[in-house]
């Protein structure tokens, strides 16, 4: 065998392991992973067997360890230290998984809302069977403040992870019948867990559901249409009317805003 048979250049080693040679230069510069030989021509050469060491470093990097953490461990490997690192990184991964699940849930809900907007007409009214839902709620009266105050209140009581699911308001059936549309009970957003503080349950059951397009000034008139529909179909509203915007994240003006109203009903 020739003396240099086991030596390969940085470019060859990088290609062999599917890594950018600049990454190898960086690892060399910080003393994390260096070529085994340095030739007279100032070229650096790796050994094929060094691939095992590189893959070990990449495995640690895959555990979400920083370069600093990897170097500290490679310089001083220790069983107890690795077990501690493993526990910490497993906890980080669990948190990331939970975050991704929340993001997926938000995207799925937004997609469903947009699909609903595309398949239903303005002022469409239907009776639907709805599943139980959980809402985080907070008291808020629209007559007490303006839109700026509304959003300030939302940021005070909920985290971005909570209100990114969407924000709605709820009105008692009594106030709805009295046309007291300035006396909402409060605001809600979807709860991630039933055990969250301040969670209200929207019961499973039959709901009178309607969609209306336009600014909030159209809502009182649409409530009239909903109550007329209920009277004509022998339905008795109970509990609360739940309002939520379906497409606020894809429109440029309130004229295109679509509100969904859901009111629980029983046969009268």
């Amino acid at each position: 065998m020739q003396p240099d048979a086991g030596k390969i250049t940085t470019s060859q080693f990088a290609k062999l392991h599917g890594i950018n040679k600049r990454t190898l230069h960086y690892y060399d510069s910080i003393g994390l992973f260096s070529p085994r030989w340095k030739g007279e021509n100032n070229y650096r050469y790796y050994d094929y067997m060094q691939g095992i060491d590189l893959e070990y470093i990449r495995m640690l990097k895959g555990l979400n360890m920083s370069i600093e953490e990897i170097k500290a461990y490679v310089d001083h490997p220790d069983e107890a230290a690795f077990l501690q690192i493993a526990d910490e990184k497993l906890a980080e991964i669990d948190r990331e998984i939970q975050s991704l699940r929340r993001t997926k849930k938000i995207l799925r809900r937004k997609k469903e809302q947009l699909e609903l907007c595309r398949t239903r007409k303005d002022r469409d009214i239907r009776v639907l069977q709805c599943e139980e839902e959980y809402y985080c709620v907070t008291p808020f009266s629209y007559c007490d403040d303006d839109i700026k105050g509304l959003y300030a209140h939302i940021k005070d009581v909920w985290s971005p992870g909570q209100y990114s699911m969407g924000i709605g308001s709820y009105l008692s059936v009594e106030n709805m019948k009295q046309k007291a549309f300035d006396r909402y009970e409060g605001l809600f957003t979807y709860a991630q867990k039933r055990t969250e503080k301040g969670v209200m349950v929207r019961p499973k059951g039959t709901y009178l559901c309607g969609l209306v397009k336009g600014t909030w000034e159209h809502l009182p008139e649409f409530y009239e249409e909903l109550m007329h529909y209920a009277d004509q179909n022998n339905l008795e509203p109970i509990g609360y009317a739940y309002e939520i915007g379906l497409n606020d994240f894809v429109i440029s003006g309130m004229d295109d805003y679509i509100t969904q109203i859901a009111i629980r009903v029983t046969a009268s």
Side-chain angles (χ1 to χ4, degrees):
M1 175 181 284
Q2 296 180 1
D4 293 341
K7 298 179 181 179
I8 55 177
T9 66
T10 299
S11 294
Q12 291 170 328
F13 191 80
K15 185 176 181 180
L16 182 65
H17 291 279
I19 191 172
N20 193 306
K21 67 178 183 180
R22 291 183 179 179
T23 301
L24 293 174
H25 290 155
Y26 173 63
Y27 288 172
D28 183 19
S29 70
I30 63 173
L32 174 61
F33 180 71
S34 299
R36 185 152 292 167
W37 295 287
K38 184 176 179 181
E40 293 180 0
N41 55 4
N42 216 28
Y43 276 33
R44 287 167 167 73
Y45 297 95
Y46 291 87
D47 184 333
Y48 280 104
M49 293 300 294
Q50 285 188 272
I52 297 173
D53 296 332
L54 176 64
E55 293 306 322
Y56 181 65
I57 290 170
R58 295 174 80 174
M59 182 272 291
L60 295 176
K61 198 168 185 296
L63 294 176
N64 284 349
M65 291 179 65
S66 67
I67 292 297
E68 292 75 16
E69 289 174 321
I70 293 172
K71 188 175 187 309
Y73 180 76
V74 169
D75 289 345
H76 304 286
D78 176 79
E79 179 180 310
F82 182 82
L83 290 174
Q84 181 180 349
I85 290 169
D87 286 339
E88 291 173 354
K89 297 308 171 183
L90 285 170
E92 284 183 19
I93 292 169
D94 285 340
R95 288 192 293 271
E96 288 183 11
I97 290 172
Q98 291 299 319
S99 177
L100 287 171
R101 284 176 176 166
R102 285 194 297 271
T103 301
K104 183 178 180 180
K105 189 174 182 180
I106 292 168
L107 286 173
R108 181 182 288 120
R109 185 176 292 277
K110 298 295 186 186
K111 181 183 176 184
E112 289 171 352
Q113 288 175 340
L114 285 182
E115 288 173 343
L116 182 63
C117 293
R118 295 177 69 180
T119 56
R120 301 270 293 275
K121 295 180 179 179
D122 184 24
R123 297 183 179 270
D124 180 275
I125 299 175
R126 302 184 187 187
V127 177
L128 301 173
Q129 296 300 314
C130 298
E131 295 299 318
E132 185 175 79
E133 290 190 339
Y134 310 113
Y135 299 146
C136 293
V137 298
T138 179
F140 188 84
S141 175
Y142 285 95
C143 63
D144 289 342
D145 221 330
D146 56 10
I147 296 297
K148 184 177 179 181
L150 168 65
Y151 286 111
H153 178 74
I154 289 167
K155 290 183 177 181
D156 282 342
V157 297
W158 294 322
S159 68
Q162 289 176 301
Y163 61 72
S164 60
M165 290 288 287
I167 301 163
S169 54
Y170 63 107
L171 174 74
S172 71
V173 165
E174 290 76 13
N175 284 336
M176 179 188 73
K177 289 180 178 179
Q178 295 173 14
K179 302 180 183 180
F181 298 113
D182 58 345
R183 295 207 297 269
Y184 280 76
E185 317 313 309
L187 306 172
F188 71 86
T189 188
Y190 295 96
Q192 301 287 345
K193 299 177 182 178
R194 186 174 182 174
T195 54
E196 284 187 55
K197 184 179 179 181
V199 167
M200 179 176 76
V201 178
R202 194 194 76 173
K204 176 181 179 179
T206 305
Y207 283 79
L208 181 61
C209 299
L211 270 64
V212 60
K213 184 177 181 180
T215 62
W216 293 331
E217 284 76 12
H218 292 86
L219 294 182
E221 179 186 342
F222 189 55
Y223 270 110
E224 292 280 355
E225 294 180 32
L226 288 167
M227 288 188 283
H228 178 71
Y229 184 97
D231 288 340
Q232 292 294 310
N233 291 274
N234 299 315
L235 298 172
E236 181 62 33
I238 58 174
Y240 299 101
Y242 302 91
E243 300 174 10
I244 191 160
L246 300 181
N247 65 341
D248 54 305
F249 49 96
V250 295
I251 60 173
S252 56
M254 286 297 291
D255 287 340
D256 295 319
Y257 187 79
I258 296 177
T259 303
Q260 176 180 259
I261 299 174
I263 309 166
R264 192 179 177 202
V265 292
T266 59
S268 60

